[in-house]
């Protein structure tokens, strides 16, 4: 047994426990409270297993699940950047790169390199797995916003143009899920006034 390797793995596992404290803007389906990053990642990993049959291209499901489980780890240092916070979005990449440098370096070199490359792959969004991961990352909060009666959208005065901009690549991972999301989550909330129609 390589004791140093195991200790670095355990340090990383302890470090990512902090993800449970990173709050997001999306409410749980029942609207009782907002979810945290760890809950968001877990939810999308399960969703990937269940919904991968709707991907536009064949994907490596385990790779995509892993990508989603680690993609927000950088928010331990960088914080969650609300999708419609224009000022926060401007500095997001810089903050997250710095966090990735620190956090993935905790791991043994081979595992740190793999996670960092997987994180970068998600960020670039070019592979079938990254495209589907982005679909999940957009579908999941849209689904929860709808389930909670549009609570977060209404509180923030979110406009449909903002949501469409945010979802501009959602169809690249799954046309089926984007169509479902638009017709079953977004349109009813526009009609109900929870999303501003501009």
């Amino acid at each position: 047994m390589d004791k140093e390797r195991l200790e670095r793995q355990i340090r990383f596992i302890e470090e990512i426990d902090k993800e449970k404290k990173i709050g997001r803007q999306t409410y749980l389906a029942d609207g009782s409270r907002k979810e945290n990053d760890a809950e968001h990642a877990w939810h999308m990993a399960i969703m990937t297993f269940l919904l991968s049959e709707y991907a536009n291209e064949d994907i490596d499901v385990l790779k995509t699940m892993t990508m989603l489980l680690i993609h927000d780890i950088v928010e331990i240092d960088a914080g969650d950047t609300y999708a419609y916070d224009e000022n926060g979005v401007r500095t997001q990449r810089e903050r997250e790169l710095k966090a990735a440098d620190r956090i993935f370096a905790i791991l043994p070199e081979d595992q740190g390199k793999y996670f960092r490359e997987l994180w970068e792959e998600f960020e670039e969004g070019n592979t079938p797995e990254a495209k589907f991961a982005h679909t999940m990352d957009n579908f999941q909060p849209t689904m929860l916003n709808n389930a909670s009666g549009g609570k977060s959208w209404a509180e923030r005065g979110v406009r449909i143009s903002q949501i469409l901009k945010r979802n501009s690549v959602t169809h690249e991972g799954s046309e089926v899920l984007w169509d479902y999301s638009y017709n079953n989550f977004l349109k009813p909330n526009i009609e109900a006034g929870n999303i501003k129609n501009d």
Side-chain angles (χ1 to χ4, degrees):
M1 185 195 75
D2 182 340
K3 187 178 179 193
E4 181 187 350
R5 179 178 177 84
L6 178 57
E7 287 178 347
R8 289 180 72 171
Q9 291 165 329
I10 290 170
R11 280 201 306 275
F12 179 80
I13 292 165
E14 289 174 347
E15 181 68 17
I16 65 172
D17 185 66
K18 294 175 183 174
E19 198 176 4
K20 297 172 187 174
K21 291 179 162 185
I22 307 300
R24 293 175 46 81
Q25 296 304 312
T26 307
Y27 284 93
L28 302 182
D30 67 1
S32 61
R33 67 169 174 85
K34 293 178 180 177
E35 69 176 353
N36 66 47
D37 268 359
E39 292 167 329
H40 172 63
W42 160 82
H43 210 187
M44 290 186 301
I46 298 276
M47 288 169 61
T48 297
F49 181 80
L50 295 173
L51 303 177
S52 60
E53 65 192 85
Y54 304 109
N56 291 342
E57 304 171 75
D58 287 339
I59 60 168
D60 179 330
V61 173
L62 180 58
K63 179 182 178 184
T64 309
M65 291 171 73
T66 307
M67 187 181 289
L68 285 164
L69 287 169
I70 63 125
H71 86 288
D72 278 340
I73 284 174
V74 295
E75 294 183 1
I76 290 167
D77 290 355
D80 175 58
T81 303
Y82 181 52
Y84 309 118
D85 173 4
E86 292 177 14
N87 290 328
V89 169
R90 284 191 197 104
T91 63
Q92 182 178 6
R93 179 72 176 160
E94 180 184 340
R95 288 181 285 116
E96 290 185 352
L97 280 170
K98 186 176 177 184
D101 288 343
R102 183 189 77 79
I103 296 167
F104 295 129
I106 296 169
L107 282 164
E109 187 176 347
D110 62 319
Q111 290 180 325
K113 182 176 183 287
Y114 176 70
F115 273 12
R116 178 60 184 260
E117 288 173 354
L118 207 54
W119 180 78
E120 291 286 0
E121 183 177 333
F122 174 85
E123 292 295 305
E124 291 165 9
N126 295 324
T127 64
E129 289 78 15
K131 289 175 184 177
F132 193 76
H134 277 279
T135 296
M136 292 293 94
D137 200 29
N138 291 332
F139 188 85
Q140 189 261 1
T142 304
M143 178 190 67
L144 289 181
N145 271 309
N146 175 68
S148 67
K151 191 171 180 177
S152 179
W153 290 323
E155 284 179 358
R156 296 281 188 147
V158 175
R159 302 181 312 274
I160 188 60
S161 60
Q162 292 174 292
I163 296 171
L164 293 177
K165 182 179 177 184
R166 169 77 177 167
N167 281 271
S168 63
V169 298
T170 302
H171 71 281
E172 293 180 11
S174 174
E175 292 280 359
V176 170
L177 295 178
W178 167 241
D179 287 345
Y180 188 91
S181 180
Y182 184 78
N183 289 307
N184 295 276
F185 303 152
L186 297 179
K187 279 178 75 175
N189 280 280
I190 295 168
E191 292 163 8
N194 299 321
I195 299 170
K196 293 184 177 180
N197 193 1
D198 57 359

